[in-house]
Amino acid sequence: MRVKKQKRHRRAVRFYTACFGFRQPFKVLCDGTFVNHLLVNRITPADDALANLLGAPVKLFTTRCVLEELKWLGQSHSHALEAAQNLVTARCPHEMKKAAADACIAEVVGENNPEHFFVATQDNDLRKKFQEVPGVPVIFALRNSLLLDSPSSFQRQFVKNLEEERSHMTVFEHNVLKKKPKSAVTSDDENDDSPDEKEGSEDLKSTLEALKEMHNRKKGLGVKDKAQFKRKRAKGPNPLSCKKKKNPENTNPKPMKPRENGTDDTLRSKTRKRKRSRGSKNTVQAEG
């Protein structure tokens, strides 16, 4: 089960990075309920636990409205308040007048989640709400384990529709392609452009610039046209674990020269007889 869970989490993270432009380090927006659950179940340090969940380094954020809500809850959530004060405070539009924590998080995320936040919460209503918002992954805790919600059907359908829109030609692009530039005249008399041709070229430039602006608007979500994945290539074997190649045996040995007495030298032993000089023995016998 643990391996299946990790695969599901990696698949979800890959979906949001490829389709909505999430980049490392991932930003996690935590509310008070999530921080309190981490402390009660001793899931610390929180940044390491979330980094293991998402498979990448993370930065933890919260809002001022969340801190005010933890203050209002009193002594029972004092430890959660101290832990939340150590997180990075994200900007929210409620500096003068504080709002509810769930409403503040919903406004910070917005309609398209331009800051690419992972929302960490234990509020079931907030989780259901963000399933209807494109590009908002939700993290929640179950006892002493962290889980990442799979992309909802609404988010998958949104990505599918967005891909279809980018693959088709718009009416404006179709009108631009209809306007073809006039061919240049090679004769010397017709080298000077007429005012009508100049106006046509200026109109073409303006339409091309407008087309570039529209293309940039389409990339407002930070989405790339093609998902870029690292291609896994086959690696070679470890040279330290491989046996050394043995030299092939000499199948064609050189023929040995025959001896003078006609015997073959192939049967000659490799050891050589040691020749001893007997001169000292003869001298002793002569003296005797």
Side-chain angles (χ1 to χ4, degrees):
M1 289 296 292
R2 188 176 181 182
V3 175
K4 290 182 180 179
K5 189 191 302 180
Q6 290 176 352
K7 286 184 178 180
R8 187 171 68 249
H9 291 164
R10 285 198 298 267
R11 198 178 299 117
V13 172
R14 198 181 302 120
F15 172 81
Y16 289 110
T17 53
C19 299
F20 294 100
F22 282 67
R23 293 294 176 265
Q24 300 179 13
F26 296 132
K27 296 187 286 187
V28 182
L29 184 61
C30 306
D31 69 346
T33 59
F34 184 77
V35 175
N36 186 53
H37 186 90
L38 293 180
L39 294 177
V40 170
N41 292 273
R42 299 179 181 178
I43 307 175
T44 53
D47 52 353
D48 292 343
L50 290 168
N52 292 334
L53 174 69
L54 302 178
V58 298
K59 288 184 179 180
L60 304 183
F61 291 81
T62 188
T63 63
R64 294 180 181 178
C65 298
V66 172
L67 298 177
E68 289 294 330
E69 186 181 57
L70 291 174
K71 288 180 183 178
W72 182 77
L73 291 174
Q75 191 66 25
S76 60
H77 289 71
S78 59
H79 296 290
L81 176 60
E82 293 177 1
Q85 286 175 346
N86 295 328
L87 306 182
V88 182
T89 304
R91 292 182 180 180
C92 67
H94 310 112
E95 295 183 0
M96 301 299 295
K97 186 179 180 180
K98 303 302 178 184
D102 54 351
C104 178
I105 291 175
E107 289 192 21
V108 170
V109 171
E111 296 181 356
N112 296 320
N113 194 11
E115 295 294 331
H116 303 113
F117 279 121
F118 283 80
V119 178
T121 180
Q122 294 295 105
D123 192 351
N124 291 329
D125 296 334
L126 199 60
R127 285 174 55 193
K128 291 179 182 178
K129 181 178 181 180
F130 284 135
Q131 287 180 355
E132 302 298 325
V133 179
V136 183
V138 179
I139 299 172
F140 66 99
L142 187 62
R143 293 181 182 177
N144 59 349
S145 61
L146 299 178
L147 301 173
L148 175 64
D149 269 341
S150 299
S152 62
S153 58
F154 174 81
Q155 292 175 347
R156 294 184 182 278
Q157 187 63 33
F158 177 82
V159 172
K160 189 176 180 180
N161 295 337
L162 191 65
E163 298 247 342
E164 289 181 358
E165 288 179 4
R166 287 191 299 187
S167 62
H168 293 301
M169 186 184 298
T170 61
V171 178
F172 180 76
E173 292 173 348
H174 183 69
N175 294 333
V176 168
L177 291 177
K178 278 185 177 180
K179 296 179 181 180
K180 295 182 180 180
K182 295 182 179 180
S183 58
V185 183
T186 56
S187 61
D188 296 332
D189 297 337
E190 297 180 356
N191 279 337
D192 297 335
D193 294 335
S194 62
D196 295 337
E197 291 179 353
K198 290 182 179 180
E199 290 179 359
S201 61
E202 290 177 357
D203 293 340
L204 183 61
K205 289 180 180 178
S206 61
T207 51
L208 290 175
E209 290 177 357
L211 188 61
K212 289 180 180 179
E213 291 180 0
M214 181 176 291
H215 184 66
N216 293 331
R217 288 176 187 172
K218 285 185 178 182
K219 293 188 175 181
L221 294 175
V223 181
K224 293 188 176 182
D225 291 337
K226 293 182 179 179
Q228 297 180 356
F229 299 107
K230 292 184 179 179
R231 185 174 295 175
K232 294 183 180 180
R233 297 181 179 178
K235 296 181 179 179
N238 186 2
L240 299 177
S241 64
C242 298
K243 291 184 178 180
K244 294 183 179 179
K245 293 182 178 180
K246 295 182 179 180
N247 294 327
E249 295 180 357
N250 193 2
T251 54
N252 298 321
K254 294 181 180 180
M256 303 293 290
K257 293 182 179 181
R259 290 184 179 179
E260 295 178 359
N261 54 4
T263 60
D264 194 359
D265 198 19
T266 55
L267 300 176
R268 184 177 63 180
S269 62
K270 293 182 180 180
T271 58
R272 299 176 62 184
K273 292 184 179 180
R274 182 177 177 183
K275 294 182 180 180
R276 296 182 180 180
S277 60
R278 299 186 179 184
S280 59
K281 204 171 190 180
N282 295 330
T283 54
V284 170
Q285 290 177 2
E287 289 177 358

